[in-house]
Structures are given as structure tokens and as C-alpha cells.
Amino acid sequence: MSTLPRLFAALLVLLAGIVPAVSVRAQSQEEATVEGAARVLTEIMAIPANEIPQALLANAQGLAIVPNIVKGGFVVGVRYGKGVVVIRDAAGVWQPPTFVTLTGGSLGWQAGIQASDLILVFKTQKSVQGLMNGKFTIGADAAAAAGPVGRQAAAATDAQLGAEILSYSRSRGLFAGVALDGTAIQVDGGANQMFYRNTGFT
């Protein structure tokens, strides 16, 4: 088998497998988001030196994947993106994706537009439920820390060990842990309704 653990491979199948059912017609924005999330996950986990440590994924309660986040501005920066969240049920089985939006801002001298991919690893059921209840702000509703990559899991800091969420970002080919306090994630009810009505997937 590949470098992906069995449960993670099953997650990839879940993410990618719900799109072909509607491939006979034009692809919707939601379908493109699901495919983008599966692609980001596959590419990141294909490089052992840069992957999210498998020990973290094996115990994860949820995973948010937001491909192609756009960040731009001058002095005041704004980031925005659409992605999916997948969570485990009480039996530990990964459930179909829920669509979310991500928004955030930052201050400082900055200019231009930059795109990046984001992955959040939810370590607790509490943080997952907080997200699924509606709007969720990283750092305010749950403690977050930049996550370790590759073989760094054993060298996690106290902040990482105590965090409910570990965050990762890929930009210009570089994949690393990132601090995202103040970033808001919100369930996108309209996207969920549109996607599942079109695909018939349950």
C-alpha cells in the first residue's frame, strides 16, 4: 500500500469518489472544491518529508481542507477560501464532507495577491462540534498551533501538544505549520444543499 495509512486512503476515496457520479455534465463549484481538496491531500501526503505525521491523522477527529485560499491586500490583508470538512462519527468512521468558507485578516505592510492551501487537523470532538454548530474562530473557540510535518511529530512543543487544532499551509510549494488565530470557518449551508441535491450522494 502507499504511504497513506489505511484510514486515510479511505478518506481520499470518500472525497474523490463522490464527484464522478456527476461528471457527465458541467462541473459545479462544489464539485471542483471536493476534487481540489482530494488533490491537495494526495500531493501533501505523497512526500514523507513534508507530510502531516501519520500518528496525528490516525487520532484525528476531523479534517478541514481548504484549497486555493486567496490572500491579498495592501497594509490590511484579507484571506478567503472555500473547502470541506470531514469528521468521524461515534464509531470512528469518516463521514461525507461538509462545505465551509474561511475568512480572516491581518495587519502589516503587505501587497499583492497570494494563493495557498490549508489543512486543519482537529484533535478533539469538542473542536469538531464547535465547528459543525456554525461559525468557528480559530484561537477564540479552540486553541490552535502550527502543526509539525514529516518526522517532527515526536518533537512537538507544549503548545502543539495542548492545542485542539493543528494547522498547516502550502504556498509556493512549501508545506509547513502555520499560525491562524482569528481566522473564521463557517459551515456553508447553501453549498451543502446544492452539492448533495445535484449528486444524490448520502
Side-chain angles (χ1 to χ4, degrees), residues 17-86:
I18 55 183
V19 174
V22 289
S23 61
V24 293
R25 58 173 174 75
Q27 187 181 54
S28 71
Q29 181 178 346
E30 291 75 31
E31 292 154 18
T33 297
V34 172
E35 285 194 345
R39 182 176 62 254
V40 167
L41 209 50
T42 301
E43 291 173 356
I44 286 172
M45 297 304 295
I47 305 175
N50 290 332
E51 69 179 359
I52 299 171
Q54 296 182 9
L56 295 178
L57 293 173
N59 295 311
Q61 299 301 307
L63 205 63
I65 310 163
V66 187
N68 200 32
I69 296 171
V70 175
K71 179 181 179 181
F74 183 75
V75 182
V76 178
V78 177
R79 67 171 69 92
Y80 177 80
K82 289 177 173 287
V84 297
V85 171
V86 285

Side-chain angles (χ1 to χ4, degrees), residues 29-190:
Q29 181 178 346
E30 291 75 31
E31 292 154 18
T33 297
V34 172
E35 285 194 345
R39 182 176 62 254
V40 167
L41 209 50
T42 301
E43 291 173 356
I44 286 172
M45 297 304 295
I47 305 175
N50 290 332
E51 69 179 359
I52 299 171
Q54 296 182 9
L56 295 178
L57 293 173
N59 295 311
Q61 299 301 307
L63 205 63
I65 310 163
V66 187
N68 200 32
I69 296 171
V70 175
K71 179 181 179 181
F74 183 75
V75 182
V76 178
V78 177
R79 67 171 69 92
Y80 177 80
K82 289 177 173 287
V84 297
V85 171
V86 285
I87 65 174
R88 294 180 189 270
D89 63 14
V93 178
W94 291 105
Q95 298 302 292
T98 296
F99 289 85
V100 294
T101 60
L102 178 144
T103 54
S106 60
L107 293 173
W109 291 103
Q110 54 195 319
I113 296 176
Q114 179 180 353
S116 59
D117 305 313
L118 176 70
I119 296 180
L120 302 175
V121 179
F122 290 79
K123 296 168 58 180
T124 67
Q125 277 292 336
K126 177 185 174 183
S127 59
V128 167
Q129 289 306 314
L131 170 60
M132 301 307 290
N133 285 340
K135 191 173 182 179
F136 182 92
T137 302
I138 298 174
D141 295 317
V149 298
R151 299 174 180 84
Q152 298 176 15
T157 65
D158 289 343
Q160 290 167 333
L161 291 173
E164 295 178 80
I165 302 170
L166 295 175
S167 54
Y168 298 86
S169 179
R170 180 177 66 171
S171 180
R172 296 193 179 97
L174 176 65
F175 181 66
V178 63
L180 288 173
D181 282 1
T183 298
I185 307 176
Q186 187 167 10
V187 172
D188 189 342

Side-chain angles (χ1 to χ4, degrees), residues 1-2 182 184:
M1 190 170 177
S2 70

